[in-house]
Amino acid sequence: MRWLWIALAAFACGASADEPSAAVERGRYVATAANCVSCHTRDNGAAYAGGRSIATPLGPIHSTNITPDRETGIGSWTEEDLRRALREGIAADGRHLFPAFPYPFYTRLSDGDIADLYSFLRTLKPVRYVPPDNGRAFRLRWPMATWKALNLVVGAYRPDAARSAEWNRGAYLVQGPGHCGACHTPRDWSLATQSSEPLRGAVMQDAVKGGGVRDWFAVDLRATTQGLAGWKTEDIVDYLGKGASARAGSFGPMNAVIANSTRHLRGEDRRAIAVYLQSLRGTDYAGEAVSAEAAQAGGLLYAKNCRECHGPSGRGGPFDGPPLAGSAIVRGEDAASLINIILYGSDRSADIGSPSWEAMPAYALKFTDAEIAALSNFLRANWGNRAAPVTPETVAQQRGP
Amino acid sequence: MKRILAAPLIVLSLLPMASIADDQDVIDYRRHIMETLKAQTAALGMIMSGAIPDDNVVAHIDIIAATAATALKAFEPKVEGGDAKAEVWAKWDDFSARMNEFAAKTAAMSKTAHEKGKDEALLQAVDALTCKQCHDDYRVKKPAAEK
């Protein structure tokens, strides 16, 4: 008789070890698509233990410990607690969470994905770590209730039956776990991401190479001339998968997104994201342009310093460098990211990006503010590019104190 | 008579030329070689990205292979400056090994182009043209070189 019990026990163990692990693996994938690790890990700190300082217009806020440590992490949370945090921005102890934690996007997560994510988070090694206190601006939590009442639309993503399964998968990934709009959608006066023009490009704050927090421009992701209209589906897939495509190379805040999230996604998911982004329409920029005179002033600087890699007509190439003609960074509504890459150079890790493009050098010490403004204006007004002029004052601001 | 006088003069004027290359000549010479490689890989890149028809692929590959074979020689005179870091000569064993590997890989790509055709050869391009890896270690970063 004893063999029967052993067999039953083995069967029970086998079953219980098998099913949760499938859920854990799916949950790991959700965590990757949501890029939890980039924000919930401080430099040289334990993964998911929090403590990273995130720049906001109200000052820095520190990410929380989401390892299953019972006292300092979320070890005491139930699946329902996690669901409420993701869907409604309310912690297990009832406190309102600040939307630096992008629950206005995570609220779109499906029930299944939340359950899997919970299973995965439970498998992390508990780390005893209390992140630093936040500043004064973050003491009061009750105003968040009002903010949410005005801005938060709670609920999982609802598929659009008129669109393909691929498009809906892309929309889900972009609007939900991927939370692309947290950076790429402008925020209104209350710091809520605008629902009127999602993903039209926006100014955000993040660290530049060498330290210091500056403005960045997260580009227009729609199919507009100042956005990704010139990109093929394959270009977006390559960029998200490798950090470089025929259209652009990654730098700045996008590096962590590619390194920790998008390059680990399944190829079909990157394609779904691309298909969805390419369906987004918007108004092509037709505003103020750089004057013809200002457009020529930076030409010599370009010829001497940039042409070797970016080409005589700004088109770059597989063995040269990324193209500047048609670049969403060059054409950006705000020039912050263009100025940053000139001032500070590229900063991606060795394992992402084109194998043949050389690193963009930093020109902060070589060029004056006026020279960088002239160069930016040359780029923003030639080869079909059209964007508002850049002033030396803007460059000085990006250079920082 | 004129011819008799002229002949030794021409010989005399030619003889020392090999040894009068000054440092700037050395730097300029290797720069010309590197610029040839740069222009030819850029041209090949345009073809690879579909911007230009591929009729000239084999010619570009041959020029790259032939030029790659001349490059190491151009760095043998130990003249620092231009865009070359001092590491070129400090780590000459590594530098020359990588230059020889570059020449061998581009020669192999040229062989493939002639024996198996251009499509097969282009598959080797990304692996053969690893300019970046050497430049990262041995070429001065741009802004520091000037001004």
Side-chain angles (χ1 to χ4, degrees), chain B residues 8 16 23-24 26 32-33 36 48-49 59 65 72 86 115 121 124 137:
Chain B
D23 286 1
Q24 193 57 49
V26 171
H32 288 316
I33 287 176
T36 301
M48 287 172 72
S49 51
L72 184 61
E115 289 173 2
Q124 293 171 247
D137 293 343

Side-chain angles (χ1 to χ4, degrees), chain A residues 307-334:
Chain A
R307 191 169 65 190
E308 189 181 334
C309 291
H310 295 287
S313 310
R315 294 187 171 200
F319 297 111
D320 308 54
L324 303 175
S327 155
I329 293 284
V330 172
R331 293 182 176 191
E333 182 184 5
D334 187 288

Side-chain angles (χ1 to χ4, degrees), chain B residues 35-50:
Chain B
E35 278 172 2
T36 301
L37 289 167
K38 165 80 200 162
Q40 291 295 318
T41 51
L44 195 63
M46 291 183 77
I47 293 168
M48 287 172 72
S49 51

Side-chain angles (χ1 to χ4, degrees), chain A residues 37-362:
Chain A
V37 75
S38 282
C39 286
H40 283 283
T41 308
R42 67 193 187 283
D43 289 340
N44 307 316
Y48 296 100
R52 172 170 291 277
S53 170
I54 294 158
T56 81
L58 299 178
I61 186 168
H62 295 92
S63 60
T64 53
N65 181 349
I66 56 168
T67 70
D69 184 61
R70 289 193 73 83
E71 279 152 52
T72 63
I74 59 171
S76 62
W77 287 31
T78 63
E79 186 182 316
E80 200 43 46
D81 289 335
L82 181 68
R83 188 182 315 277
R84 197 155 71 128
L86 293 166
R87 282 266 161 77
E88 300 168 37
I90 297 172
D93 61 8
R95 286 180 311 158
H96 288 289
L97 297 166
F98 293 102
F101 170 52
Y103 56 83
F105 301 90
Y106 292 160
T107 190
R108 301 275 170 274
L109 281 164
S110 69
D111 281 336
D113 276 354
I114 292 176
D116 291 339
L117 179 61
Y118 182 77
S119 303
F120 166 68
L121 290 175
R122 299 298 295 177
T123 66
L124 296 174
K125 190 172 153 269
V127 177
R128 239 191 119 74
Y129 170 75
V130 181
D133 274 342
N134 293 319
R136 194 175 290 276
F138 299 103
R139 297 263 164 78
L140 280 184
R141 288 187 180 259
W142 63 263
M144 284 314 304
T146 319
W147 184 89
K148 284 188 208 170
L150 290 170
N151 296 309
L152 184 63
V153 184
V154 172
Y157 174 76
R158 265 183 259 138
D160 180 344
R163 303 281 195 160
S164 69
E166 187 178 45
W167 184 95
N168 275 297
R169 176 68 179 164
Y172 173 71
L173 288 166
V174 167
Q175 297 175 18
H179 66 285
C180 307
C183 293
H184 289 274
T185 299
R187 289 171 189 271
D188 64 14
W189 61 270
S190 78
L191 303 181
T193 45
Q194 288 172 2
S195 52
S196 57
E197 281 193 279
L199 306 177
R200 62 158 287 165
V203 176
M204 58 173 292
Q205 286 77 38
D206 206 340
V208 291
K209 189 181 176 186
V213 170
R214 302 283 189 283
D215 278 359
W216 287 88
F217 183 69
V219 301
D220 188 339
L221 296 182
R222 305 167 305 170
T224 61
T225 54
Q226 69 276 20
L228 308 188
W231 292 49
K232 299 192 187 83
T233 311
E234 209 50 55
D235 295 331
I236 300 179
V237 172
D238 280 350
Y239 179 80
L240 296 174
K242 303 178 206 156
S245 73
R247 307 301 321 168
S250 163
F251 64 95
M254 219 26 219
N255 284 344
V257 178
I258 293 166
N260 295 333
S261 177
T262 58
R263 70 168 160 158
H264 303 294
L265 297 180
R266 291 185 287 267
E268 73 246 32
D269 276 347
R270 280 193 292 272
R271 179 163 290 275
I273 291 172
V275 164
Y276 170 68
L277 292 180
Q278 291 194 306
S279 76
L280 301 175
R281 294 287 175 266
T283 314
D284 292 340
Y285 180 76
E288 188 193 1
V290 176
S291 74
E293 194 188 336
Q296 292 319 310
L300 195 59
L301 281 172
Y302 179 82
K304 280 183 71 176
N305 299 281
C306 322
R307 191 169 65 190
E308 189 181 334
C309 291
H310 295 287
S313 310
R315 294 187 171 200
F319 297 111
D320 308 54
L324 303 175
S327 155
I329 293 284
V330 172
R331 293 182 176 191
E333 182 184 5
D334 187 288
S337 293
L338 171 62
I339 297 169
N340 287 349
I341 186 77
I342 300 173
L343 279 174
Y344 305 107
S346 61
D347 54 350
R348 56 173 184 263
S349 56
D351 57 341
I352 64 170
S354 156
S356 48
W357 291 346
E358 288 167 37
M360 169 80 182

